[in-house]
Amino acid sequence: MSDEHLKLPACWFCRQRPPERDCASEWEMHRETGVKGDIDSISKAEWEPMTVPVPRCSFCKRAHERRERFVEKGWKVGLLFGLVLAALLFLSGLLGISVAVVRSLVIMRRTLICLPAIVFGCAIAGGLVGWLLGKSALPSGVKDQGAATGHPNIKSMEAQGWKIGAKPRV
């Protein structure tokens, strides 16, 4: 192997193929640049946003997108399951109510309070199952997209005071 070949950039996620500009994994970062305002009690922090690219090849980009689709499908199936489960529980609760109106209102109120917890809990569980299944769908030798936080571009920005994520909504 020649020395020139060793100097060529490689995809951060597989280290085998050359990266493509349109396939880079982009990470939003932010840092506080100061405080804006005349009075301390109404001053607001100012934030500077930046998008930092991490080199990635088209093969790894497709693998990461496939994993994201697993998560998306997982939470959607979980949400649908939660809606069906909540509807069945609601209907079974209404069918089991006695003639007393007061008792039925108490049961209905409890059911209405539990509905969002059931639906969103199933959506979260479905997303987690999709995330786990998607992780197993990554080809061997391809790192998860979260490995981008170890890239020198990200590390150097963090050393300068930048934080990963979009700017806070203060």
Side-chain angles (χ1 to χ4, degrees), residues 60-131:
C60 290
K61 181 179 181 180
R62 283 192 303 275
H64 292 153
E65 287 173 346
R66 186 171 43 249
R67 178 164 190 205
E68 288 172 7
R69 284 192 300 271
F70 268 94
V71 175
E72 182 181 0
K73 287 178 184 176
W75 75 258
K76 285 180 179 178
V77 167
L79 183 69
L80 181 63
F81 178 78
L83 287 170
V84 169
L85 180 64
L88 290 173
L89 289 173
F90 185 72
L91 289 175
S92 69
L94 285 178
L95 296 175
I97 293 175
S98 67
V99 181
V101 175
V102 174
R103 185 173 175 204
S104 67
L105 290 176
V106 169
I107 291 172
M108 188 186 288
R109 186 168 15 125
R110 285 184 192 157
T111 305
L112 290 175
I113 290 171
C114 293
L115 284 177
I118 292 168
V119 172
F120 293 121
C122 287
I124 290 169
L128 288 173
V129 168
W131 181 77

Side-chain angles (χ1 to χ4, degrees), residues 2-168:
S2 68
D3 288 339
E4 271 188 41
H5 180 71
L6 295 174
K7 292 179 184 177
L8 292 176
C11 170
W12 178 253
F13 301 97
C14 68
R15 308 250 179 168
Q16 296 174 357
R17 290 171 282 282
E20 296 177 30
R21 182 177 297 242
D22 295 338
C23 296
S25 176
E26 296 183 344
W27 289 75
E28 290 185 11
M29 298 188 80
H30 69 278
R31 72 174 172 182
E32 187 174 345
T33 57
V35 177
K36 179 182 176 182
D38 297 331
I39 303 172
D40 289 337
S41 63
I42 60 170
S43 63
K44 293 183 179 180
E46 287 190 342
W47 303 93
E48 181 181 356
M50 179 177 276
T51 302
V52 180
V54 174
R56 179 172 61 176
C57 65
S58 60
F59 179 80
C60 290
K61 181 179 181 180
R62 283 192 303 275
H64 292 153
E65 287 173 346
R66 186 171 43 249
R67 178 164 190 205
E68 288 172 7
R69 284 192 300 271
F70 268 94
V71 175
E72 182 181 0
K73 287 178 184 176
W75 75 258
K76 285 180 179 178
V77 167
L79 183 69
L80 181 63
F81 178 78
L83 287 170
V84 169
L85 180 64
L88 290 173
L89 289 173
F90 185 72
L91 289 175
S92 69
L94 285 178
L95 296 175
I97 293 175
S98 67
V99 181
V101 175
V102 174
R103 185 173 175 204
S104 67
L105 290 176
V106 169
I107 291 172
M108 188 186 288
R109 186 168 15 125
R110 285 184 192 157
T111 305
L112 290 175
I113 290 171
C114 293
L115 284 177
I118 292 168
V119 172
F120 293 121
C122 287
I124 290 169
L128 288 173
V129 168
W131 181 77
L132 290 171
L133 290 174
K135 190 171 187 174
S136 67
L138 281 176
S140 63
V142 175
K143 293 184 220 169
D144 184 47
Q145 195 165 355
T149 58
H151 190 270
N153 290 353
I154 303 287
K155 290 295 183 189
S156 68
M157 296 295 288
E158 286 179 326
Q160 296 172 26
W162 292 81
K163 293 184 172 76
I164 294 174
K167 70 176 187 166

